[in-house]
Each structure stands twice: as structure tokens, then as C-alpha cells.
Amino acid sequence: MMKPLFLNIYFHESGAEILKALRAPEYIVPTLVLPVAFYLFFAFAMPGAGTENARYLLATYGVFAVMGPSIFGFGVGVANERDRGWLKLKRASPSPSLSYIAAKITVTLIFASLALIPIYLAAGFGAHIALPRGQWVMLLGIHLLSVIPFVLIGLTLGFSLGSNAAIAVSNIAFLGMSALGGLWIPTFLFPPLMQKISVSLPSYQLAEIALSIVGANANAGAPRMPLHNLTIVAIMTAFLAVLAYWAWAKQRN
Amino acid sequence: MKANKTELVANDFVIRAKGVSKTFGVHTALRDVNLDIQKNSVTAILGTNGAGKTTFIHCCLGLTKPSRGNLSIFGKKPGSMESRRRVGVMLQDADLPDLLTPREHIALFASYYPSPLPLANVLDICNLEGFATKKYKALSGGQKRRVQFALAIIGNPDLIFLDEPTTGLDTEARRMVWEVIRRLANEGRTIVLTTHYLEEADALSDRIVVLDAGNVIANAPTAEIQALAGGAMIKCVTDIPPKDIGKMPKVVSVRHNGRFTEINTQDSPSTLRALLSEDANLSELIVKKPSLEEAFDQLTHSQKKKS
């Protein structure tokens, strides 16, 4: 008897996840269209739009574009499949639970990349933001790495909420982390209390790293400290991983 | 020596449950269940809602941990990868993702197993060809159950758990499921199914286990359970005192219900002959098969008498 290869299962599982995503316009349209639409609007169409705005928003809308598929794909997707008993059946089957998560992360990375490409194109060709090739690669790297903490948040929601509650809470998390994380408006414009909240959000920390890569001006004289931000992101991610693991273990019984 | 013995046990019994109990808070779902299920048998677990049938299956699958006791599947821990590769399952309340087709669902499940059945075979056996490429959400309730049944057998498993496999199926689909279960059993697989219907247990299983409030109250070959449950119930209006009816051939029990007398018998013709010859005025005669509830009543009753 040949043992089924993990890779083979993972490919099958990823294929199934891609099909599911492609057949769900309510997932695809906001994921792929909204970030670039917002980017075009705020970077080009708004009065006062200029290269500096386009540069700032390239960094922050990249994080925004990745956050959507991560939080919704996992928060809403996992909650729905758990609610209907699908995950229970999979647990009884010889499918390694890691292949399910890995396949979902793969699909998230694919759709996050597809959402990033038009933003990068608009920034590069539309707003003439010229970055050395290495900076573009680093920017893509940090944007795709952003998947990890947001997927962990999505998983925690998906494992602990029913499917209806998951939709509501995912929306709040998504919009809240976007607005308070400074992805739409720079946080230095916020009142001091809100700024304190911002600092505690992974969206803010990731955006700060991206901002330093694209060379956006530091605001209000405070220098950017990307390594400091990266350390905070790492700590937050570890904490979120524990939280997601705990939520996963709890729903199993 | 010891290794030999384990091998023998593992070969004879696919499932071994010893003193298995499961409590959820104050509620006891399973109470000291001792149950060995033999290789190449079809076992029906009968019981009303809340009797513990699903909990027992969940324990066997490793979805729930027993609170006490020992449970092994193929001599392995329930839920271990080794046992899961040899097990197929149809759960009672597991719906599949809406946006994949039956064919895609079954192909995905096939990839989990070491030597799955050919996809086309399963589509054919389970009669899914007519809707194999429709989205799952567009299927009727009965069609969905048939896809779930297909997932239970695609892995070519040695042991198959079917939790209420025919609930929500029309007569035709039910017959299809019965036929496939019989075929799988003939091929040497072990099947454990739960059902509400005595008729279904009777038609499919060679052994019946009756669960009542978490207790195994009967565990015997199907024919024996049928006899134990009484062959039929006779209901009539008669003047013969119950004490005398009790002495008639094949009578299991007698009781008054309003103006009616209800008689449980293992063989209605013999009892009827005696009744009719004793009481020429006997009227309003009804003979029926006992319902599952009545069978349970009697089983619990006889169990209490024994202990």
C-alpha cells in the first residue's frame, strides 16, 4: 500500500480552494477590485493628490489589499466550513489538517498577489514612483509576509465564531485595523489616544515597515524604525499564533 | 507469545470498547460500554435520539475522547492516522462546501487515501452521474446525502461508519444505499451503522446493539433481538383474564389498555389460535409488528428482569 503523499494531498486541496474562491464573486470582487479602486481614487482622483500621496498609499494599500483575503478567507471561510460540520468530517478522514491550512494560505497568497499587482502598476506607471528593483522586491516581501498575522487573526475568528458572527466580526476587524492602522489616513493626524491604539495593531506596524521601504517622508519629525516595527510584528505574530492554536484546540472537543 | 495474541485479537475484532464512558458536564452520553465488533460484520446500533449512538461513533473516530475506558480501532488509537486511513465515514450532520461539485469533492477525498476506489466506479455505484458536475449547493437533500455516502466509501476502507445513512432519503435512494452496504459487506468490509428504524437494522445487519440512555441494553445477532423484542403485538377486546392469556403459547407479556388487551407474542398465529378457541366473542382484533419503542420497552423490561 502506498502512502498518500502530503504534497499530492496539498495540491488537490489547493485546487479545491482555488475553485471555491473563483466561484465566489462575493470573495473575489472585493478582494481584487476594492484595493486598487481605492488606491486609484485616493492617489489620483482626490484633490491634492500627488506623488507623495501615491507613495504613502502604495505602502499602506498594499497591506490593505493583503488583509482582506487573509481575514475574510480564514475568518468567514473557516467559520462556515466548521459550522456545517465539514471540518469534523475532514478530521475523521485521513486528511492532514496542515494540508487544509496550507492550501488556504496558498490561495490567500495567490489572491493577495493578484490584488497587489494592479496597485504596483498604478504606482509605478501612473504616479511614476521610481524605486530600485530591490526595494520593489522588499515591498512585495513585506506585503506578502503580512498574510501571516492576518491569517492567524482570521483563523482565531473562524475557529471561535459561528458563521454569521464571523462575517460581522471579520468586517469590524478588517475596517478597524485599516482605519486605525493608518492605512487610509496617516496616524499623525489622529488624536493622541487613537495613536496609542494604532501602535498596538499589526496593520500599523506592517505599514510602517512598508513606508520605510518606499521612502515615504517620516511625519512630525519622528524617524521611521523598520527594525523596531519588525520586532513588534514578530512578537504580535507569536502571540496571535498561540491564540489561533488555542482556538483550534478548543473547538475540537 | 504476547505479540501473537495481540495479532489474533486485532484480526478478530475491528473495534474493541472496554468500559467506555462519556460525560458532557452532568449529562452521561455513554455509560460503561463494552462492545467488540467483529471483522467482516454489519452491526446496527439502534436507539432513540440521545441514546448515545452518535457519541459512540464520534469516540471511534477520535472526534471525541471517552471520559473513561479503553477503545481501539484495528488495535490502534481512535483518530490516529493509521486507523483513519482504513476508515470511511458518513456523519449525520456534516455538510460539504457549497461551491464544489460532487465529482470534485469525491476526487479530493480520494487523494487522502492510500488506495482509493476508481472515481467513475463510485459515481456509478452511488448513482451520482446525473448530477456529478452540479454545484453541491444546487443538490436536493437526498442527493447531498448520497454524495456524503460516496465520500464514506471512496477510500476503499476496511471499516465504514454510517451515522443514520438513510435519514432524508427517498425510497429509491434508500434501496440504493442498502444495496451498496450489502455489496460492501460481501466484499469483506466491516460496517457499523446507526439507525432509528428496526426495519433497516433487520434488513442489513447481522448484529444489533441497542443503546438506551448511554447503556448497551442488548447486543446479539439480529434474529435473536427480533425474538427478544417479540414477534408481534395482538390487540383485542376479550374477557379472558390476563393470567390465562399469559399461559398461552408463545406469549411474552400481557397488559390492559382501557378496554383493550395487548398481548406481545413471539409467534402470532399460535397465540391467535389459542385465543380464538378460548373466546368466541373476541372482537376488535388487530395484529401488528411492534414499533421500535415497544421493542425497546420490552428489551429494557426483560433486561431489568434478568438483573
Side-chain angles (χ1 to χ4, degrees), chain A residues 1-5 8-9 12-13 15-16 19-21 23-24 26 81 83-86 88-96 99 252-253, chain B residues 22 58 61-65 81 84-85 89 91 93-101 104-105 107-109 111-115 135-136 151:
Chain A
M1 243 181 6
M2 235 180 60
K3 279 188 182 173
L5 285 171
N8 183 42
I9 299 179
H12 269 90
E13 202 90 64
L19 286 175
K20 277 194 263 181
R23 289 171 189 168
E26 71 275 16
E81 295 185 344
D83 242 14
R84 55 174 53 216
W86 172 235
K88 199 165 59 178
L89 183 64
K90 279 175 88 77
R91 263 170 61 204
S93 81
S95 105
S99 74
R252 283 170 69 93
N253 232 334
Chain B
K22 176 70 189 178
H58 282 190
L61 295 169
L63 294 175
T64 312
K65 263 205 192 101
M81 189 48 103
R84 278 188 283 157
R85 286 212 173 105
V89 58
L91 293 172
D93 52 359
D95 221 359
L96 318 186
D98 276 338
L99 297 175
L100 294 181
T101 66
E104 289 157 358
H105 273 307
L108 174 61
F109 248 64
S111 76
Y112 301 158
Y113 291 88
S115 46
K135 280 186 195 137
Y136 181 80
L151 293 189

Side-chain angles (χ1 to χ4, degrees), chain A residues 7 33-34 46 65 87 101 131 148 152 156 160 189 206 215 225:
Chain A
L7 262 185
V33 176
L34 275 189
M46 283 287 279
L87 296 192
I101 306 274
L131 293 179
I148 299 170
L152 291 170
T156 306
S160 31
L189 298 170
L206 289 160
M225 301 180 289

Side-chain angles (χ1 to χ4, degrees), chain A residues 238-249:
Chain A
F239 171 74
L240 290 169
V242 172
L243 207 63
Y245 178 81
W246 175 75
W248 172 77

Side-chain angles (χ1 to χ4, degrees), chain B residues 40-78:
Chain B
N40 193 10
S41 65
V42 180
T43 304
I45 303 179
L46 270 170
T48 49
N49 282 332
K53 308 186 297 281
T54 297
T55 305
F56 180 71
I57 287 194
H58 282 190
C59 286
C60 291
L61 295 169
L63 294 175
T64 312
K65 263 205 192 101
S67 312
R68 270 189 311 282
N70 285 315
L71 183 60
S72 70
I73 309 293
F74 300 113
K76 302 278 182 327
K77 203 173 141 244

Side-chain angles (χ1 to χ4, degrees), chain B residues 105-173:
Chain B
H105 273 307
I106 298 166
L108 174 61
F109 248 64
S111 76
Y112 301 158
Y113 291 88
S115 46
L117 297 172
L119 179 64
N121 262 14
V122 171
L123 291 177
D124 177 45
I125 295 171
C126 300
N127 215 354
L128 304 178
E129 278 144 339
F131 51 89
T133 54
K134 268 193 186 173
K135 280 186 195 137
Y136 181 80
K137 70 171 172 189
L139 306 184
S140 74
Q143 290 173 331
K144 287 179 179 176
R145 286 300 275 166
R146 277 149 69 185
V147 178
Q148 294 164 24
F149 180 67
L151 293 189
I153 67 171
I154 183 69
N156 197 12
D158 298 322
L159 169 62
I160 304 173
F161 290 99
L162 303 166
D163 199 357
E164 311 224 353
T166 59
T167 304
L169 292 186
D170 58 27
T171 331
E172 197 191 334

